Amino acid sequence: MFNEELLQGKSLRWGMVGGGRGSEVGYLHRGSALRDNAFTLVAGAFDIDPQRCISFGENLGIARDRLYSNYQEMFAEEAKRPDGIEVVSIATPNSTHFEIAKAALEANLHVICEKPLCFTVEQAQELIDLTEKKNRVFGVTYGYTGAQMLHQARKMVENGDLGEIRVINMQFAHGFHSSEVETSSAGAKWRVTPEIAGQTYVLADIGTHAFFLSEVIAPQLKVKELLCTRQSFIKSRAPLEDNAVVLLQYENGAIGNLWASAVNAGSMHQHKIRVIGSKASIEWWDEHPNQLKYEIQGEPARVLDRGMGYLYQDETINCDRAGGGHAEGLFDSWANLYHRFAVAIHAKNNNQEVKINYPSVYDGAEGVKFLAKCVESANSGSTWVNY
Ligand SMILES: NC(=O)c1ccc[n+]([C@@H]2O[C@H](COP(=O)([O-])OP(=O)(O)OC[C@H]3O[C@@H](n4cnc5c(N)ncnc54)[C@H](O)[C@@H]3O)[C@@H](O)[C@H]2O)c1
């Protein structure tokens, strides 16, 4: 079971940029980081509107003098305090991630950043270089991947339970933007505005989540080339796509396909991955994260359940917050990630080797590369491009 005792006897002093009142992802960060006392929220530049930041932050119980008009002010003022923040989470729209993350690293902070990490592979490399130079922990909130059954899936692939991997089928295809909702939703509006969202909409917004699931489950598979086709079914969204299909050719001969969509009418999430091997297949769906389908050719299909003794004894078991049979969900998955970020930060602060596995700046950079390659392929007439 999960151990919620304080790590190294202390809670990390934590600040947030973005994630203010009414934001989509802000409460997910706080609801999971604050769960295990591994982080204490002491400062924030929560909002693009300074007044809203103050009223929101005060209502969270944060001291008035630690609520800031912008991230520059927060990093500068917090650095002067003996009790200043040690780590910051960035939960702002995509276009701001690079500049804020870079400034945070330059202020010697550990960083936890939203996906997509940034816009270009060059920016991603700059963040990697700075993270290494400053010897900091840089986590990326691929929030679904704290789910224990994904780590069971990884062990099954690693141990050859599926045989040789042949096909990876990935999708994240919801229907929430089947009509032009951006005319009345600010959160949808920036997602279809290239200056703020970047060169893609659904691929960056949700496709990267599905792609990262495959990297968690089958890290040994390396993409050799890919082909992408993308569409703007709501015409006003062009050049950004609201639907995309990607084919991936892996170096070992396996093939992958990824479908990202915001126009899958009637669908909630349909965020799924199916990994097909020569002997068996596994399948995980984020709407039922406690279960993993395990289908061996020629045998009755099985469903593996979280919390059971027959699972591999890995992170799968160590971070169970409730026994088998009780449903865990998205907040538990995020809390597992935040706890791993904290373990890594303590190790780094104490000059110890970071042994725990967490989505890092390298994974964020891989996501950025994936997006760049998809755009390159789609914009050159959906041809195969070397990865
Ligand atoms: N990991 C996930 O599962 C997940 C889920 C949703 C969103 N996201 C990502 O989180 C980020 C935010 O998305 P959202 O849906 O919460 O957006 P949102 O539009 O709902 O909220 C953005 C928040 O950031 C604030 N903000 C904007 N610019 C700022 C700045 N320069 N300084 C300080 N605050 C600023 C806004 O005032 C608002 O509070 C995006 O990059 C998105 O891709 C990730």
Side-chain angles (χ1 to χ4, degrees), residues 83-99:
D83 62 349
I85 56 170
E86 303 162 271
V87 48
V88 66
S89 289
I90 301 165
T92 51
N94 305 353
S95 57
T96 59
H97 295 172
F98 174 69
E99 63 175 53

Side-chain angles (χ1 to χ4, degrees), residues 17-20 23-25 45-48 91-94 97 114-115 141 190-191 205 209 334:
V17 184
S23 71
E24 187 174 318
V25 86
F46 294 107
D47 207 294
I48 191 75
T92 51
N94 305 353
H97 295 172
E114 268 304 341
K115 42 53 59 180
T141 39
W190 73 249
R191 283 172 162 80
D205 201 45
H209 278 298
W334 274 68

Side-chain angles (χ1 to χ4, degrees), residues 53-131:
C53 170
I54 292 168
S55 72
F56 180 68
E58 283 184 331
N59 285 342
L60 292 183
I62 297 170
R64 169 67 189 87
D65 65 336
R66 299 182 81 173
L67 295 168
Y68 300 99
S69 299
N70 55 60
Y71 70 89
Q72 292 97 330
E73 190 191 343
M74 176 159 91
F75 297 162
E77 292 303 315
E78 287 292 313
K80 295 177 191 161
R81 301 178 64 113
D83 62 349
I85 56 170
E86 303 162 271
V87 48
V88 66
S89 289
I90 301 165
T92 51
N94 305 353
S95 57
T96 59
H97 295 172
F98 174 69
E99 63 175 53
I100 301 175
K102 190 174 166 197
L105 287 168
E106 279 164 352
N108 292 316
L109 295 170
H110 298 288
V111 179
I112 296 163
C113 185
E114 268 304 341
K115 42 53 59 180
L117 177 62
C118 52
F119 278 180
T120 66
V121 288
E122 290 78 18
Q123 289 176 339
Q125 189 57 49
E126 207 176 323
L127 292 179
I128 288 175
D129 293 343
L130 200 50
T131 302

Side-chain angles (χ1 to χ4, degrees), residues 149-169:
M149 296 312 280
L150 291 173
H151 298 276
Q152 167 69 14
R154 179 211 283 265
K155 280 277 174 201
M156 292 176 78
V157 169
E158 188 180 300
N159 289 344
D161 296 348
L162 311 189
E164 194 183 329
I165 304 305
R166 292 174 171 168
V167 182
I168 302 196
N169 188 207

Side-chain angles (χ1 to χ4, degrees), residues 162-336:
L162 311 189
E164 194 183 329
I165 304 305
R166 292 174 171 168
V167 182
I168 302 196
N169 188 207
M170 298 155 264
Q171 63 178 60
F172 197 151
H174 65 72
F176 293 112
H177 296 174
S178 294
S179 61
E180 203 175 355
V181 293
E182 53 269 35
T183 53
S184 58
S185 158
K189 181 71 186 160
W190 73 249
R191 283 172 162 80
V192 296
T193 305
E195 296 74 34
I196 306 177
Q199 288 193 76
T200 81
Y201 162 34
V202 288
L203 283 163
D205 201 45
I206 50 182
T208 48
H209 278 298
F211 182 63
F212 188 60
L213 294 187
S214 72
E215 296 193 293
V216 167
I217 295 176
Q220 54 281 81
L221 289 197
K222 302 293 173 212
V223 180
K224 188 175 155 207
E225 48 185 4
L226 66 69
L227 178 154
C228 172
T229 171
R230 57 179 185 159
Q231 299 73 38
S232 315
F233 283 108
I234 303 294
K235 297 294 172 223
S236 57
R237 291 174 183 160
L240 298 194
E241 79 290 344
D242 49 24
N243 189 80
V245 175
V246 186
L247 291 177
L248 302 109
Q249 179 71 61
Y250 295 95
E251 283 174 2
N252 75 337
I255 189 96
N257 62 303
L258 186 151
W259 176 35
S261 183
V263 294
N264 183 14
S267 156
M268 296 300 286
H269 256 199
Q270 290 293 324
H271 179 200
K272 291 179 172 177
I273 182 163
R274 183 173 176 86
V275 182
I276 300 162
S278 51
K279 295 194 293 199
S281 303
I282 49 176
E283 188 172 315
W284 183 85
W285 180 9
D286 81 347
E287 292 173 41
H288 298 275
N290 295 268
Q291 282 79 36
L292 182 69
K293 280 191 190 169
Y294 179 30
E295 297 163 357
I296 304 172
Q297 180 55 35
E299 296 185 17
R302 303 171 196 192
V303 177
L304 309 183
D305 267 289
R306 187 194 59 72
M308 299 304 293
Y310 52 68
L311 302 176
Y312 288 114
Q313 307 293 305
D314 188 12
E315 288 113 314
T316 33
I317 297 299
N318 299 342
C319 55
D320 279 339
R321 290 160 187 273
H326 300 283
E328 290 191 4
L330 187 61
F331 280 94
D332 304 281
S333 173
W334 274 68
N336 291 340

